[in-house]
Amino acid sequence: MDDGADKFYQAAFLPPELPTPANPQKVVFLVDHEDNNSVIDKTDFYQYLNEKCQLYLSEEDQFNFIFSSSGPHQMMSENWISGHNDSITQAFSQLTDPIKNYSDLFDLLENGINFLIENDGLDGDIILLANSDNISWSHSQDIEDINTLLQGTNIKIHIVNYQSENFYYEWVWNGPDFWTYQNYAFYHDITLSTGGNLYGSIEGTGNVWANISSILNDVKSTDYNLSLIHISEP
């Protein structure tokens, strides 16, 4: 600004642009359920998943569901489903009572991993929703097969363990004793090795409804380049 004698300058601060979304998310939800391991209403559970998918997924995202079932596992779709709310509503409405009283956890995981690999999802996420408890040390070969399938991928496995019944007390010779569940070691190992997250009552986050929101928030948080807004501690 010039008044003829003096010149005045105005300083302007331009804030950095907000982080922009990265590549769209590809998420496969897996549901492995045993009736006697929780008191959850399966119809309410299914509807809640519908609502949370609509809340957290964007139309650029793609997702699918696979439900444990005798014979072939039940897929929500043979292909990716758009994260647009209309597509989510339509996909959920096409299935009736898909959550069965049936568990085949390792085969279900293999199905989910293979779906990602075969459908351009090498950087995708698996969200396992399970209350089953049939993993034992005799499944070591199954665990090895899962790890072999994951080689060469960046697939993260996240788990919401909504088991609320049939925990057991582990007695330790030199203490401390603790409550645990059959799948504890596998859940911790597979989430740790893939960079995923684990939520469940033994882990201190017992509300299944909140845990589903938390796990979806974890997955969606990778949509942003958080380094742009990270403030280092002194």
Side-chain angles (χ1 to χ4, degrees):
M1 184 184 301
D2 190 343
D3 67 355
D6 297 307
K7 294 184 178 180
F8 298 90
Y9 298 89
Q10 183 178 13
F13 172 73
L14 300 177
E17 294 182 4
L18 291 174
T20 55
N23 293 329
Q25 301 292 103
K26 293 184 176 180
V27 185
V28 176
F29 296 83
L30 308 176
V31 182
D32 196 70
H33 179 85
E34 291 181 329
D35 283 349
N36 63 344
N37 278 343
S38 66
V39 294
I40 196 169
D41 183 278
K42 291 184 289 186
T43 301
D44 291 344
F45 190 38
Y46 185 62
Q47 179 57 34
Y48 190 79
L49 292 172
N50 181 358
E51 294 169 2
K52 291 305 170 182
C53 283
Q54 295 198 42
L55 180 62
Y56 283 93
L57 298 180
S58 67
E59 59 184 281
E60 293 82 13
D61 295 328
Q62 295 176 300
F63 77 100
N64 204 351
F65 272 80
I66 309 177
F67 301 88
S68 276
S69 180
S70 59
H73 299 306
Q74 186 170 10
M75 300 184 68
M76 184 170 277
S77 172
E78 294 295 325
N79 304 297
W80 287 115
I81 305 165
S82 165
H84 190 283
N85 280 358
D86 290 343
S87 299
I88 295 171
T89 299
Q90 181 180 11
F92 271 84
S93 67
Q94 291 176 347
L95 298 183
T96 302
D97 189 30
I99 303 177
K100 308 298 183 185
N101 179 26
Y102 186 83
S103 173
D104 192 351
L105 186 61
F106 283 109
D107 193 63
L108 182 68
L109 273 170
E110 289 183 0
N111 274 237
I113 294 168
N114 282 326
F115 181 86
L116 281 168
I117 291 173
E118 294 166 5
N119 292 276
D120 195 28
L122 296 180
D123 296 312
D125 293 89
I126 286 175
I127 296 179
L128 171 63
L129 307 160
N131 73 344
S132 51
D133 62 350
N134 53 11
I135 295 178
S136 68
W137 293 112
S138 63
H139 289 94
S140 57
Q141 183 59 52
D142 294 309
I143 295 172
E144 184 177 334
D145 291 344
I146 293 293
N147 287 326
T148 299
L149 273 178
L150 289 168
Q151 289 180 2
T153 77
N154 293 312
I155 295 171
K156 293 183 176 64
I157 296 178
H158 311 271
I159 300 174
V160 171
N161 173 29
Y162 62 95
Q163 179 181 352
S164 60
E165 307 290 331
N166 300 318
F167 295 126
Y168 64 91
Y169 204 61
E170 186 75 23
W171 297 96
V172 180
W173 174 253
N174 57 351
D177 305 326
F178 58 94
W179 286 98
T180 189
Y181 53 90
Q182 191 70 25
N183 296 0
Y184 180 91
F186 175 70
Y187 284 175
H188 279 259
D189 288 347
I190 200 67
T191 51
L192 181 64
S193 65
T194 64
N197 295 301
L198 169 62
Y199 291 86
S201 56
I202 291 294
E203 286 71 33
T205 54
N207 185 328
V208 60
W209 314 108
N211 289 344
I212 291 171
S213 294
S214 296
I215 212 84
L216 281 164
N217 187 64
D218 291 341
V219 169
K220 289 298 295 177
S221 68
T222 60
D223 271 357
Y224 297 93
N225 182 356
L226 297 181
S227 64
L228 294 176
I229 57 176
H230 175 70
I231 300 175
S232 299
E233 294 290 336

